[in-house]
Amino acid sequence: MRWPASIALALGAASALPAGAGSLVLDAERGNGVQSYGIGTVVFRKLDIRPDWGWQLDRFWVARAAYWSAEHPHPFGKHLGDFSFMPTLRLAQRERQGVQPFVEAGIGAHLLSRTHIDNRPLSTAFQFGEQLAVGFRVPARIPFALSLRAEHVSNGGIKEPNSGVTFAGLRLQLDWR
């Protein structure tokens, strides 16, 4: 699917959400000759879990579906689907007016539609994912956050070979709450 069609589909899905429905997460990543385009939502959210701190600590879980496309179709194939569920912590300055910078970290699970892509045998459909991100949140009519992230997906040594994929990418999170 080309970029304009992907963006149109995501914006169409976002406009269909009722007010107060939650968050829409859109991301694009690239790494090890593989591109990933994802759409998801925040399913559990607890804001400011330590109000006695000088910093704000938020906890949320992101459920996401992604499409991976490899640069080379040989020897294993060019495409796969990725369904993930990732608990995430976000640390930001407390009560900052305007743009709020943050750092994020998460560890979760991925379920892949295939066990190989490009020239990478992934061995298992179940994979682990770790991510780190830096970004900023903008309090607007529809608040949003933009982040630069690094994510590693691999089977964690469950089975050999364990040739994971490391991505770098951007995420846009639109909040309707």
Side-chain angles (χ1 to χ4, degrees):
M1 187 181 306
R2 303 233 186 254
W3 265 105
S6 300
I7 292 170
L9 177 65
L11 292 176
S15 67
L17 291 172
S23 297
L24 175 69
V25 175
L26 302 170
D27 53 24
E29 302 173 316
R30 180 180 170 81
N32 301 117
V34 178
Q35 291 100 25
S36 172
Y37 306 100
I39 185 168
T41 188
V42 173
V43 290
F44 302 112
R45 178 188 302 213
K46 175 81 170 130
L47 299 178
D48 208 2
I49 61 176
R50 292 295 307 257
D52 54 325
W53 280 10
W55 291 79
Q56 181 172 336
L57 184 63
D58 299 334
R59 175 181 66 202
F60 52 93
W61 293 59
V62 177
R64 185 178 129 229
Y67 168 77
W68 292 16
S69 177
E71 291 177 355
H72 304 83
H74 301 293
F76 294 123
K78 188 169 172 79
H79 312 284
L80 67 77
D82 171 16
F83 304 94
S84 63
F85 196 57
M86 187 164 298
T88 305
L89 291 173
R90 179 182 287 174
L91 182 65
Q93 281 185 297
R94 177 173 301 287
E95 302 191 19
R96 181 178 168 94
Q97 298 297 323
V99 175
Q100 182 183 43
F102 63 81
V103 294
E104 254 179 28
I107 298 175
H110 291 254
L111 185 60
L112 305 179
S113 63
R114 300 173 60 167
T115 59
H116 47 272
I117 187 166
D118 196 18
N119 61 352
R120 293 180 171 279
L122 302 170
S123 299
T124 61
F126 178 78
Q127 303 279 308
F128 296 99
E130 311 83 40
Q131 66 181 10
L132 290 173
V134 294
F136 59 90
R137 185 173 186 280
V138 177
R141 185 170 160 257
I142 298 177
F144 69 92
L146 186 64
S147 59
L148 177 63
R149 31 199 350 95
E151 181 174 18
H152 178 72
V153 179
S154 74
N155 69 22
I158 293 173
K159 186 176 177 185
E160 292 296 329
N162 182 18
S163 56
V165 179
T166 301
F167 294 104
L170 291 173
R171 174 173 286 174
L172 174 65
Q173 179 177 332
L174 301 168
D175 294 319
W176 272 270
R177 291 181 194 213

